[in-house]
Amino acid sequence: MSPRRRDAEGTAAARAERRAELLATAAEVFASQGYAATTIRQVADAAGMLGGSLYYHFDSKESMVDEVLSTFLDDMWASYEEVLAAGLGARETMEALVVASFRSIDRHRPAVVIYQNESKLLAASERFGYLRDSHRRFQEMWISLLARGTAEGAFRPDLDAGLVYRFIRDTVWVAANWYQRGGRLSADDIAKQYLAMVLEGISASRD
Amino acid sequence: MSPRRRDAEGTAAARAERRAELLATAAEVFASQGYAATTIRQVADAAGMLGGSLYYHFDSKESMVDEVLSTFLDDMWASYEEVLAAGLGARETMEALVVASFRSIDRHRPAVVIYQNESKLLAASERFGYLRDSHRRFQEMWISLLARGTAEGAFRPDLDAGLVYRFIRDTVWVAANWYQRGGRLSADDIAKQYLAMVLEGISASRD
DNA sequence: CACTCTACCAAATGGTTGTTAGAAAGAATG
DNA sequence: CATTCTTTCTAACAACCATTTGGTAGAGTG
């Protein structure tokens, strides 16, 4: 490769790194203050620069959340695909999906918080149509998994399928609101306990 | 009572009614758009009046959420007090609390959504200190109930107490995001299914 | 009919927002 | 050392925000 080429690659890589850095702090501010409530100047403050300077790196405030959310979703779906491709039984698939979800929270905590709080609002706009797509895909994945599990005799047949789906979906993701990396419980610890609760219940009685 | 007295009561009642009416539409807009993202003009639009006119009834946008949230919390705690005063066993108390929570969602759905999405942000300000108090009280109530239940042998001892608390807290309230009055499942139906899942789990196996 | 009171409207206020354009600082390059 | 390129700053912009002020239509009251 020519020197010109190497330089171009070097600066492109540096630029991408700075971009990711700024995006990470933006995600944290969005997550803690709420997207609509945070000003571009607050994000710039957290990044140690002035408001206008952010526009050298990003087109708009909207494009920042866009990149935060789509990066997270791409990563999440990649890990889901791996699980689904393994061809496990319904219960094992469910366990693996829950573990993958908590690891996703571990890697993208601010993005998950933003996704939870703002996706409903953002999804209304054209630009964030992929949020609606992801949501639909997520729902179909779980509903069919639960149906398969019930047919296989792994899950109780006396529960409302839609309710169970929402239950799992919600319980998995809300944890992002209080989870912190390096805390008392690791993401895998939490996944294990969550699975114990959801699968076997918190009751001591076995009737 | 004198006629003057009766008139004063009449207009005071009418005023309170209008207030509650406006507050209900404000709560709905806040819940669907997010508090920070909704403008006072949007609320006024939904109420069929102009932005400035709302200030005849309310001091500020902040005082609107304030009234919405405190009304909900007062009602919720009143129903919790009733349950706690009944002196039931740990498991029965838990069941009654969950049922009371879902009935609370049924009565104050928009308020619950607002509480979920915005309380963390609002609680930072002096005015909404009661949100922090309520949260602390809620946590103490559940933690001690779970401890009692574990001591009584009603709940599994192998789960992390703090995790179970958050699990229950979250699963109970997120339902406000999709619940709709008069839907396929009543609030009591949902409470029953949620309790079945949380207490006994969704797994078919009983090992 | 005169008067008052309630509930709203019309129009403006100061402040904040996202965003832009042009200058400048500094490192990299020749 | 001169030049270029990258990144930031300075200083604005129009749009929009919550809120205020003063007016007014209309119902209720005497």
Side-chain angles (χ1 to χ4, degrees):
Chain A
M1 31 177 128
S2 70
R4 178 183 295 273
R5 175 86 190 282
R6 191 161 55 220
D7 285 2
E9 274 174 4
T11 59
R15 174 184 277 244
E17 197 176 339
R18 180 74 175 130
R19 218 186 145 75
E21 204 174 299
L22 292 172
L23 226 42
T25 82
E28 255 161 51
V29 183
F30 287 157
S32 71
Q33 309 275 347
Y35 171 68
T38 81
T39 72
I40 217 72
R41 285 182 241 278
Q42 283 176 295
V43 174
D45 251 31
M49 51 167 59
L50 291 178
S53 304
L54 277 175
Y55 286 83
Y56 173 73
H57 300 275
F58 303 98
D59 286 347
S60 63
K61 182 185 176 187
E62 207 183 45
S63 77
M64 293 186 211
V65 234
D66 192 345
E67 205 164 326
V68 168
L69 291 177
S70 56
T71 300
F72 151 63
L73 285 177
D74 286 350
D75 184 71
M76 184 197 79
W77 278 110
S79 71
Y80 280 0
E81 287 301 346
E82 252 183 80
V83 171
L84 295 175
L88 304 169
R91 175 161 172 154
E92 289 74 23
T93 300
M94 182 201 159
E95 291 177 352
L97 283 177
V98 169
V99 169
S101 299
F102 279 101
R103 286 179 181 164
S104 215
I105 291 176
D106 182 69
R107 281 192 304 269
H108 304 277
R109 199 194 61 86
V112 175
V113 172
I114 297 168
Y115 180 77
Q116 260 198 135
N117 295 336
E118 326 280 355
S119 74
K120 196 175 179 182
L121 217 61
L122 293 173
S125 102
E126 182 57 45
R127 174 171 200 168
F128 294 92
Y130 65 89
L131 292 177
R132 290 192 299 273
D133 295 341
S134 176
H135 188 268
R136 194 178 314 117
R137 197 174 157 197
F138 192 90
Q139 174 166 353
E140 280 161 8
M141 179 186 80
W142 275 103
I143 291 278
S144 72
L145 174 63
L146 291 171
R148 179 162 73 97
T150 307
E152 283 178 8
F155 303 139
R156 292 169 62 174
D158 63 325
L159 296 171
D160 185 273
L163 207 59
V164 174
Y165 156 65
R166 292 195 191 90
F167 183 73
I168 291 175
R169 175 194 63 186
D170 296 341
T171 56
V172 162
W173 295 119
V174 278
N177 286 305
W178 51 263
Y179 174 75
Q180 36 191 348
R181 227 174 174 146
R184 190 166 52 84
L185 298 171
S186 73
D188 283 9
D189 289 340
I190 297 173
K192 196 173 294 180
Q193 295 247 346
Y194 261 56
L195 281 168
M197 284 190 274
V198 172
L199 286 169
E200 310 297 338
I202 70 169
S203 172
S205 66
R206 291 278 179 275
D207 48 339
Chain B
M1 29 175 130
S2 70
R4 177 182 298 273
R5 175 83 190 283
R6 192 160 55 218
D7 285 2
E9 275 175 4
T11 58
R15 174 183 278 244
E17 197 176 338
R18 180 71 175 132
R19 219 186 144 77
E21 204 175 298
L22 292 172
L23 226 43
T25 83
E28 256 160 51
V29 182
F30 287 156
S32 70
Q33 309 274 348
Y35 171 68
T38 79
T39 72
I40 219 70
R41 283 180 248 269
Q42 284 177 295
V43 175
D45 253 29
M49 50 167 61
L50 291 179
S53 304
L54 276 175
Y55 287 82
Y56 172 74
H57 300 276
F58 303 98
D59 286 347
S60 64
K61 184 185 175 185
E62 205 183 47
S63 76
M64 293 186 212
V65 233
D66 192 345
E67 205 164 326
V68 167
L69 290 178
S70 56
T71 301
F72 151 63
L73 285 177
D74 286 351
D75 184 70
M76 184 197 79
W77 278 111
S79 71
Y80 280 0
E81 288 301 346
E82 252 183 78
V83 170
L84 295 175
L88 304 168
R91 173 161 173 155
E92 289 75 21
T93 300
M94 181 203 160
E95 291 178 352
L97 283 177
V98 169
V99 168
S101 299
F102 279 101
R103 286 181 181 164
S104 217
I105 290 175
D106 181 69
R107 280 193 303 269
H108 303 277
R109 199 194 62 85
V112 174
V113 172
I114 297 169
Y115 180 77
Q116 261 198 137
N117 295 336
E118 325 280 355
S119 76
K120 195 174 178 184
L121 218 62
L122 292 172
S125 102
E126 182 57 45
R127 174 172 199 167
F128 294 92
Y130 67 88
L131 292 177
R132 290 192 298 273
D133 296 341
S134 177
H135 188 266
R136 193 178 314 117
R137 198 176 157 197
F138 193 90
Q139 174 165 353
E140 281 162 7
M141 179 185 81
W142 275 103
I143 292 279
S144 72
L145 174 62
L146 291 171
R148 180 161 71 95
T150 307
E152 284 178 8
F155 302 139
R156 292 169 63 173
D158 63 325
L159 296 170
D160 184 272
L163 206 60
V164 175
Y165 156 66
R166 292 194 192 90
F167 181 74
I168 291 175
R169 176 195 64 185
D170 296 342
T171 55
V172 161
W173 295 119
V174 278
N177 286 306
W178 50 263
Y179 174 74
Q180 37 189 348
R181 228 174 173 146
R184 192 167 50 86
L185 298 171
S186 73
D188 283 8
D189 289 339
I190 297 172
K192 197 173 293 180
Q193 295 247 347
Y194 261 56
L195 281 168
M197 283 189 274
V198 171
L199 287 168
E200 311 297 338
I202 70 168
S203 171
S205 65
R206 291 276 178 278
D207 47 341

